[in-house]
PDB file of all heavy atoms in Angstrom:
ATOM      1  N   THR H   1       8.986  41.519  75.718  1.00  0.00           N
ATOM      2  CA  THR H   1       7.877  41.885  74.852  1.00  0.00           C
ATOM      3  C   THR H   1       8.020  43.218  74.279  1.00  0.00           C
ATOM      4  O   THR H   1       7.821  43.535  73.126  1.00  0.00           O
ATOM      5  CB  THR H   1       6.538  41.762  75.630  1.00  0.00           C
ATOM      6  OG1 THR H   1       6.398  40.496  76.130  1.00  0.00           O
ATOM      7  CG2 THR H   1       5.373  42.108  74.707  1.00  0.00           C
ATOM      8  N   LEU H   2       8.485  44.214  75.148  1.00  0.00           N
ATOM      9  CA  LEU H   2       8.684  45.589  74.736  1.00  0.00           C
ATOM     10  C   LEU H   2       9.785  45.648  73.625  1.00  0.00           C
ATOM     11  O   LEU H   2       9.675  46.351  72.672  1.00  0.00           O
ATOM     12  CB  LEU H   2       9.046  46.443  75.871  1.00  0.00           C
ATOM     13  CG  LEU H   2       9.193  47.942  75.600  1.00  0.00           C
ATOM     14  CD1 LEU H   2       7.851  48.498  74.997  1.00  0.00           C
ATOM     15  CD2 LEU H   2       9.512  48.722  76.917  1.00  0.00           C
ATOM     16  N   MET H   3      10.851  44.843  73.799  1.00  0.00           N
ATOM     17  CA  MET H   3      11.886  44.766  72.832  1.00  0.00           C
ATOM     18  C   MET H   3      11.373  44.297  71.453  1.00  0.00           C
ATOM     19  O   MET H   3      11.689  44.872  70.403  1.00  0.00           O
ATOM     20  CB  MET H   3      13.031  43.817  73.248  1.00  0.00           C
ATOM     21  CG  MET H   3      13.939  44.378  74.361  1.00  0.00           C
ATOM     22  SD  MET H   3      15.193  43.157  74.760  1.00  0.00           S
ATOM     23  CE  MET H   3      16.192  44.097  75.906  1.00  0.00           C
ATOM     24  N   ILE H   4      10.573  43.240  71.511  1.00  0.00           N
ATOM     25  CA  ILE H   4       9.977  42.683  70.281  1.00  0.00           C
ATOM     26  C   ILE H   4       9.121  43.735  69.557  1.00  0.00           C
ATOM     27  O   ILE H   4       9.221  43.930  68.333  1.00  0.00           O
ATOM     28  CB  ILE H   4       9.134  41.422  70.576  1.00  0.00           C
ATOM     29  CG1 ILE H   4      10.095  40.299  71.078  1.00  0.00           C
ATOM     30  CG2 ILE H   4       8.372  40.986  69.330  1.00  0.00           C
ATOM     31  CD1 ILE H   4       9.359  39.078  71.577  1.00  0.00           C
ATOM     32  N   LEU H   5       8.293  44.433  70.352  1.00  0.00           N
ATOM     33  CA  LEU H   5       7.396  45.453  69.729  1.00  0.00           C
ATOM     34  C   LEU H   5       8.277  46.539  69.130  1.00  0.00           C
ATOM     35  O   LEU H   5       7.930  47.101  68.087  1.00  0.00           O
ATOM     36  CB  LEU H   5       6.531  46.045  70.807  1.00  0.00           C
ATOM     37  CG  LEU H   5       5.372  45.115  71.327  1.00  0.00           C
ATOM     38  CD1 LEU H   5       4.740  45.702  72.539  1.00  0.00           C
ATOM     39  CD2 LEU H   5       4.379  44.828  70.222  1.00  0.00           C
ATOM     40  N   THR H   6       9.371  46.964  69.775  1.00  0.00           N
ATOM     41  CA  THR H   6      10.244  47.981  69.276  1.00  0.00           C
ATOM     42  C   THR H   6      10.939  47.509  67.961  1.00  0.00           C
ATOM     43  O   THR H   6      10.994  48.231  67.023  1.00  0.00           O
ATOM     44  CB  THR H   6      11.251  48.372  70.323  1.00  0.00           C
ATOM     45  OG1 THR H   6      10.604  48.624  71.530  1.00  0.00           O
ATOM     46  CG2 THR H   6      12.058  49.539  69.846  1.00  0.00           C
ATOM     47  N   LEU H   7      11.391  46.277  67.964  1.00  0.00           N
ATOM     48  CA  LEU H   7      12.046  45.726  66.770  1.00  0.00           C
ATOM     49  C   LEU H   7      11.087  45.691  65.576  1.00  0.00           C
ATOM     50  O   LEU H   7      11.473  45.991  64.440  1.00  0.00           O
ATOM     51  CB  LEU H   7      12.581  44.324  67.044  1.00  0.00           C
ATOM     52  CG  LEU H   7      13.806  44.279  67.988  1.00  0.00           C
ATOM     53  CD1 LEU H   7      14.127  42.858  68.415  1.00  0.00           C
ATOM     54  CD2 LEU H   7      15.001  44.859  67.281  1.00  0.00           C
ATOM     55  N   GLN H   8       9.805  45.412  65.884  1.00  0.00           N
ATOM     56  CA  GLN H   8       8.808  45.395  64.843  1.00  0.00           C
ATOM     57  C   GLN H   8       8.636  46.768  64.187  1.00  0.00           C
ATOM     58  O   GLN H   8       8.266  46.901  63.055  1.00  0.00           O
ATOM     59  CB  GLN H   8       7.471  44.901  65.369  1.00  0.00           C
ATOM     60  CG  GLN H   8       7.470  43.420  65.718  1.00  0.00           C
ATOM     61  CD  GLN H   8       6.204  42.994  66.368  1.00  0.00           C
ATOM     62  OE1 GLN H   8       5.390  43.846  66.864  1.00  0.00           O
ATOM     63  NE2 GLN H   8       5.928  41.674  66.481  1.00  0.00           N
ATOM     64  N   ALA H   9       8.895  47.845  65.021  1.00  0.00           N
ATOM     65  CA  ALA H   9       8.877  49.215  64.527  1.00  0.00           C
ATOM     66  C   ALA H   9      10.135  49.549  63.694  1.00  0.00           C
ATOM     67  O   ALA H   9      10.200  50.658  63.194  1.00  0.00           O
ATOM     68  CB  ALA H   9       8.683  50.164  65.667  1.00  0.00           C
ATOM     69  N   GLY H  10      11.079  48.673  63.631  1.00  0.00           N
ATOM     70  CA  GLY H  10      12.215  48.929  62.815  1.00  0.00           C
ATOM     71  C   GLY H  10      13.275  49.815  63.476  1.00  0.00           C
ATOM     72  O   GLY H  10      13.932  50.570  62.795  1.00  0.00           O
ATOM     73  N   VAL H  11      13.533  49.717  64.765  1.00  0.00           N
ATOM     74  CA  VAL H  11      14.386  50.582  65.508  1.00  0.00           C
ATOM     75  C   VAL H  11      15.409  49.809  66.336  1.00  0.00           C
ATOM     76  O   VAL H  11      15.770  50.173  67.404  1.00  0.00           O
ATOM     77  CB  VAL H  11      13.636  51.612  66.348  1.00  0.00           C
ATOM     78  CG1 VAL H  11      12.886  52.559  65.528  1.00  0.00           C
ATOM     79  CG2 VAL H  11      12.742  50.900  67.335  1.00  0.00           C
ATOM     80  N   ALA H  12      15.862  48.693  65.803  1.00  0.00           N
ATOM     81  CA  ALA H  12      16.846  47.872  66.563  1.00  0.00           C
ATOM     82  C   ALA H  12      18.113  48.690  66.929  1.00  0.00           C
ATOM     83  O   ALA H  12      18.577  49.471  66.175  1.00  0.00           O
ATOM     84  CB  ALA H  12      17.222  46.645  65.720  1.00  0.00           C
ATOM     85  N   GLY H  13      18.635  48.378  68.119  1.00  0.00           N
ATOM     86  CA  GLY H  13      19.858  49.013  68.547  1.00  0.00           C
ATOM     87  C   GLY H  13      19.670  50.326  69.236  1.00  0.00           C
ATOM     88  O   GLY H  13      20.708  51.035  69.546  1.00  0.00           O
ATOM     89  N   GLN H  14      18.491  50.778  69.577  1.00  0.00           N
ATOM     90  CA  GLN H  14      18.274  52.078  70.187  1.00  0.00           C
ATOM     91  C   GLN H  14      17.826  51.930  71.628  1.00  0.00           C
ATOM     92  O   GLN H  14      17.245  50.948  72.053  1.00  0.00           O
ATOM     93  CB  GLN H  14      17.216  52.872  69.390  1.00  0.00           C
ATOM     94  CG  GLN H  14      17.768  53.293  68.005  1.00  0.00           C
ATOM     95  CD  GLN H  14      16.777  54.019  67.212  1.00  0.00           C
ATOM     96  OE1 GLN H  14      15.607  53.717  67.257  1.00  0.00           O
ATOM     97  NE2 GLN H  14      17.218  54.987  66.403  1.00  0.00           N
ATOM     98  N   MET H  15      18.151  52.991  72.428  1.00  0.00           N
ATOM     99  CA  MET H  15      17.820  52.981  73.859  1.00  0.00           C
ATOM    100  C   MET H  15      16.382  53.342  74.112  1.00  0.00           C
ATOM    101  O   MET H  15      15.852  54.326  73.576  1.00  0.00           O
ATOM    102  CB  MET H  15      18.756  53.971  74.558  1.00  0.00           C
ATOM    103  CG  MET H  15      20.213  53.662  74.482  1.00  0.00           C
ATOM    104  SD  MET H  15      20.669  52.069  75.236  1.00  0.00           S
ATOM    105  CE  MET H  15      20.306  52.374  76.967  1.00  0.00           C
ATOM    106  N   ILE H  16      15.702  52.546  74.955  1.00  0.00           N
ATOM    107  CA  ILE H  16      14.309  52.808  75.309  1.00  0.00           C
ATOM    108  C   ILE H  16      14.143  52.543  76.797  1.00  0.00           C
ATOM    109  O   ILE H  16      14.989  52.015  77.455  1.00  0.00           O
ATOM    110  CB  ILE H  16      13.337  51.884  74.461  1.00  0.00           C
ATOM    111  CG1 ILE H  16      13.683  50.413  74.756  1.00  0.00           C
ATOM    112  CG2 ILE H  16      13.470  52.169  73.008  1.00  0.00           C
ATOM    113  CD1 ILE H  16      12.745  49.414  74.124  1.00  0.00           C
ATOM    114  N   PHE H  17      13.001  52.936  77.314  1.00  0.00           N
ATOM    115  CA  PHE H  17      12.644  52.692  78.695  1.00  0.00           C
ATOM    116  C   PHE H  17      12.064  51.300  78.841  1.00  0.00           C
ATOM    117  O   PHE H  17      11.255  50.852  78.039  1.00  0.00           O
ATOM    118  CB  PHE H  17      11.664  53.681  79.200  1.00  0.00           C
ATOM    119  CG  PHE H  17      12.228  54.992  79.674  1.00  0.00           C
ATOM    120  CD1 PHE H  17      12.154  56.119  78.880  1.00  0.00           C
ATOM    121  CD2 PHE H  17      12.955  55.057  80.849  1.00  0.00           C
ATOM    122  CE1 PHE H  17      12.673  57.310  79.276  1.00  0.00           C
ATOM    123  CE2 PHE H  17      13.548  56.241  81.218  1.00  0.00           C
ATOM    124  CZ  PHE H  17      13.410  57.406  80.492  1.00  0.00           C
ATOM    125  N   SER H  18      12.474  50.600  79.891  1.00  0.00           N
ATOM    126  CA  SER H  18      11.815  49.392  80.307  1.00  0.00           C
ATOM    127  C   SER H  18      10.469  49.695  80.922  1.00  0.00           C
ATOM    128  O   SER H  18      10.149  50.849  81.201  1.00  0.00           O
ATOM    129  CB  SER H  18      12.657  48.593  81.284  1.00  0.00           C
ATOM    130  OG  SER H  18      12.837  49.330  82.492  1.00  0.00           O
ATOM    131  N   ASP H  19       9.641  48.677  81.158  1.00  0.00           N
ATOM    132  CA  ASP H  19       8.387  48.921  81.860  1.00  0.00           C
ATOM    133  C   ASP H  19       8.689  49.549  83.248  1.00  0.00           C
ATOM    134  O   ASP H  19       9.697  49.265  83.885  1.00  0.00           O
ATOM    135  CB  ASP H  19       7.716  47.553  82.131  1.00  0.00           C
ATOM    136  CG  ASP H  19       6.985  47.041  80.856  1.00  0.00           C
ATOM    137  OD1 ASP H  19       7.064  47.738  79.837  1.00  0.00           O
ATOM    138  OD2 ASP H  19       6.383  45.988  80.925  1.00  0.00           O
ATOM    139  N   LEU H  20       7.779  50.433  83.675  1.00  0.00           N
ATOM    140  CA  LEU H  20       7.893  51.040  84.981  1.00  0.00           C
ATOM    141  C   LEU H  20       7.395  50.117  86.054  1.00  0.00           C
ATOM    142  O   LEU H  20       6.348  49.464  85.837  1.00  0.00           O
ATOM    143  CB  LEU H  20       7.073  52.349  85.044  1.00  0.00           C
ATOM    144  CG  LEU H  20       7.775  53.589  84.448  1.00  0.00           C
ATOM    145  CD1 LEU H  20       8.046  53.534  82.982  1.00  0.00           C
ATOM    146  CD2 LEU H  20       6.918  54.839  84.770  1.00  0.00           C
ATOM    147  N   LYS H  21       8.128  50.087  87.166  1.00  0.00           N
ATOM    148  CA  LYS H  21       7.755  49.242  88.287  1.00  0.00           C
ATOM    149  C   LYS H  21       7.566  50.175  89.484  1.00  0.00           C
ATOM    150  O   LYS H  21       8.414  51.014  89.767  1.00  0.00           O
ATOM    151  CB  LYS H  21       8.815  48.143  88.622  1.00  0.00           C
ATOM    152  CG  LYS H  21       9.074  47.211  87.411  1.00  0.00           C
ATOM    153  CD  LYS H  21      10.045  46.142  87.864  1.00  0.00           C
ATOM    154  CE  LYS H  21      10.377  45.230  86.662  1.00  0.00           C
ATOM    155  NZ  LYS H  21       9.176  44.481  86.213  1.00  0.00           N
ATOM    156  N   ARG H  22       6.431  50.001  90.185  1.00  0.00           N
ATOM    157  CA  ARG H  22       6.179  50.891  91.332  1.00  0.00           C
ATOM    158  C   ARG H  22       7.171  50.642  92.454  1.00  0.00           C
ATOM    159  O   ARG H  22       7.457  49.511  92.846  1.00  0.00           O
ATOM    160  CB  ARG H  22       4.766  50.643  91.849  1.00  0.00           C
ATOM    161  CG  ARG H  22       3.697  51.110  90.894  1.00  0.00           C
ATOM    162  CD  ARG H  22       2.324  50.579  91.186  1.00  0.00           C
ATOM    163  NE  ARG H  22       1.294  51.069  90.313  1.00  0.00           N
ATOM    164  CZ  ARG H  22       1.102  50.636  89.011  1.00  0.00           C
ATOM    165  NH1 ARG H  22       1.875  49.639  88.610  1.00  0.00           N
ATOM    166  NH2 ARG H  22       0.200  51.200  88.295  1.00  0.00           N
ATOM    167  N   VAL H  23       7.657  51.762  93.005  1.00  0.00           N
ATOM    168  CA  VAL H  23       8.554  51.637  94.136  1.00  0.00           C
ATOM    169  C   VAL H  23       7.747  51.317  95.388  1.00  0.00           C
ATOM    170  O   VAL H  23       8.267  50.636  96.294  1.00  0.00           O
ATOM    171  CB  VAL H  23       9.359  52.962  94.320  1.00  0.00           C
ATOM    172  CG1 VAL H  23      10.171  52.992  95.559  1.00  0.00           C
ATOM    173  CG2 VAL H  23      10.186  53.265  93.143  1.00  0.00           C
ATOM    174  N   SER H  24       6.520  51.828  95.469  1.00  0.00           N
ATOM    175  CA  SER H  24       5.647  51.550  96.547  1.00  0.00           C
ATOM    176  C   SER H  24       4.236  51.321  96.030  1.00  0.00           C
ATOM    177  O   SER H  24       3.818  51.971  95.082  1.00  0.00           O
ATOM    178  CB  SER H  24       5.645  52.775  97.494  1.00  0.00           C
ATOM    179  OG  SER H  24       4.606  52.575  98.532  1.00  0.00           O
ATOM    180  N   ASP H  25       3.523  50.411  96.700  1.00  0.00           N
ATOM    181  CA  ASP H  25       2.136  50.193  96.312  1.00  0.00           C
ATOM    182  C   ASP H  25       1.203  51.219  97.000  1.00  0.00           C
ATOM    183  O   ASP H  25      -0.019  51.194  96.735  1.00  0.00           O
ATOM    184  CB  ASP H  25       1.741  48.796  96.694  1.00  0.00           C
ATOM    185  CG  ASP H  25       2.339  47.719  95.840  1.00  0.00           C
ATOM    186  OD1 ASP H  25       2.668  48.018  94.666  1.00  0.00           O
ATOM    187  OD2 ASP H  25       2.552  46.554  96.341  1.00  0.00           O
ATOM    188  N   GLN H  26       1.765  52.035  97.810  1.00  0.00           N
ATOM    189  CA  GLN H  26       0.964  53.132  98.449  1.00  0.00           C
ATOM    190  C   GLN H  26       1.435  54.445  97.893  1.00  0.00           C
ATOM    191  O   GLN H  26       2.587  54.652  97.479  1.00  0.00           O
ATOM    192  CB  GLN H  26       1.204  53.085  99.982  1.00  0.00           C
ATOM    193  CG  GLN H  26       0.807  51.799 100.623  1.00  0.00           C
ATOM    194  CD  GLN H  26      -0.669  51.488 100.437  1.00  0.00           C
ATOM    195  OE1 GLN H  26      -1.504  52.387 100.524  1.00  0.00           O
ATOM    196  NE2 GLN H  26      -0.989  50.218 100.148  1.00  0.00           N
ATOM    197  N   PRO H  27       0.527  55.449  97.873  1.00  0.00           N
ATOM    198  CA  PRO H  27       0.923  56.792  97.361  1.00  0.00           C
ATOM    199  C   PRO H  27       1.969  57.474  98.256  1.00  0.00           C
ATOM    200  O   PRO H  27       2.034  57.264  99.470  1.00  0.00           O
ATOM    201  CB  PRO H  27      -0.382  57.539  97.310  1.00  0.00           C
ATOM    202  CG  PRO H  27      -1.284  56.826  98.307  1.00  0.00           C
ATOM    203  CD  PRO H  27      -0.874  55.390  98.248  1.00  0.00           C
ATOM    204  N   LEU H  28       2.828  58.326  97.647  1.00  0.00           N
ATOM    205  CA  LEU H  28       3.760  59.102  98.382  1.00  0.00           C
ATOM    206  C   LEU H  28       3.059  60.244  99.132  1.00  0.00           C
ATOM    207  O   LEU H  28       3.464  60.605 100.205  1.00  0.00           O
ATOM    208  CB  LEU H  28       4.818  59.680  97.480  1.00  0.00           C
ATOM    209  CG  LEU H  28       5.730  58.748  96.655  1.00  0.00           C
ATOM    210  CD1 LEU H  28       6.863  59.519  95.961  1.00  0.00           C
ATOM    211  CD2 LEU H  28       6.289  57.663  97.550  1.00  0.00           C
ATOM    212  N   MET H  29       2.050  60.829  98.453  1.00  0.00           N
ATOM    213  CA  MET H  29       1.318  61.907  99.055  1.00  0.00           C
ATOM    214  C   MET H  29      -0.150  61.781  98.700  1.00  0.00           C
ATOM    215  O   MET H  29      -0.518  61.283  97.661  1.00  0.00           O
ATOM    216  CB  MET H  29       1.833  63.271  98.506  1.00  0.00           C
ATOM    217  CG  MET H  29       3.228  63.647  98.860  1.00  0.00           C
ATOM    218  SD  MET H  29       3.526  65.313  98.289  1.00  0.00           S
ATOM    219  CE  MET H  29       5.277  65.344  98.570  1.00  0.00           C
ATOM    220  N   VAL H  30      -1.012  62.219  99.605  1.00  0.00           N
ATOM    221  CA  VAL H  30      -2.432  62.272  99.385  1.00  0.00           C
ATOM    222  C   VAL H  30      -2.881  63.635  99.895  1.00  0.00           C
ATOM    223  O   VAL H  30      -2.134  64.409 100.519  1.00  0.00           O
ATOM    224  CB  VAL H  30      -3.152  61.188 100.200  1.00  0.00           C
ATOM    225  CG1 VAL H  30      -2.723  59.829  99.699  1.00  0.00           C
ATOM    226  CG2 VAL H  30      -2.824  61.248 101.680  1.00  0.00           C
ATOM    227  N   PRO H  31      -4.094  64.067  99.564  1.00  0.00           N
ATOM    228  CA  PRO H  31      -4.602  65.356 100.047  1.00  0.00           C
ATOM    229  C   PRO H  31      -4.562  65.369 101.612  1.00  0.00           C
ATOM    230  O   PRO H  31      -4.642  64.316 102.266  1.00  0.00           O
ATOM    231  CB  PRO H  31      -6.044  65.347  99.572  1.00  0.00           C
ATOM    232  CG  PRO H  31      -6.078  64.446  98.384  1.00  0.00           C
ATOM    233  CD  PRO H  31      -5.086  63.395  98.691  1.00  0.00           C
ATOM    234  N   ARG H  32      -4.451  66.604 102.164  1.00  0.00           N
ATOM    235  CA  ARG H  32      -4.394  66.703 103.588  1.00  0.00           C
ATOM    236  C   ARG H  32      -4.997  68.058 104.010  1.00  0.00           C
ATOM    237  O   ARG H  32      -4.983  69.047 103.251  1.00  0.00           O
ATOM    238  CB  ARG H  32      -2.991  66.633 104.163  1.00  0.00           C
ATOM    239  CG  ARG H  32      -2.047  67.705 103.729  1.00  0.00           C
ATOM    240  CD  ARG H  32      -0.687  67.606 104.411  1.00  0.00           C
ATOM    241  NE  ARG H  32       0.177  68.772 104.106  1.00  0.00           N
ATOM    242  CZ  ARG H  32       1.327  68.977 104.638  1.00  0.00           C
ATOM    243  NH1 ARG H  32       1.816  68.156 105.582  1.00  0.00           N
ATOM    244  NH2 ARG H  32       2.045  70.079 104.333  1.00  0.00           N
TER     245      ARG H  32
END
């Protein structure tokens, strides 16, 4: 989907970020 949206913007062939995926469903740090 992100590729399609980018192509609609007229920028075929360029490097972009894929969707971000969480490494963890829990926070790395919280207040303490």
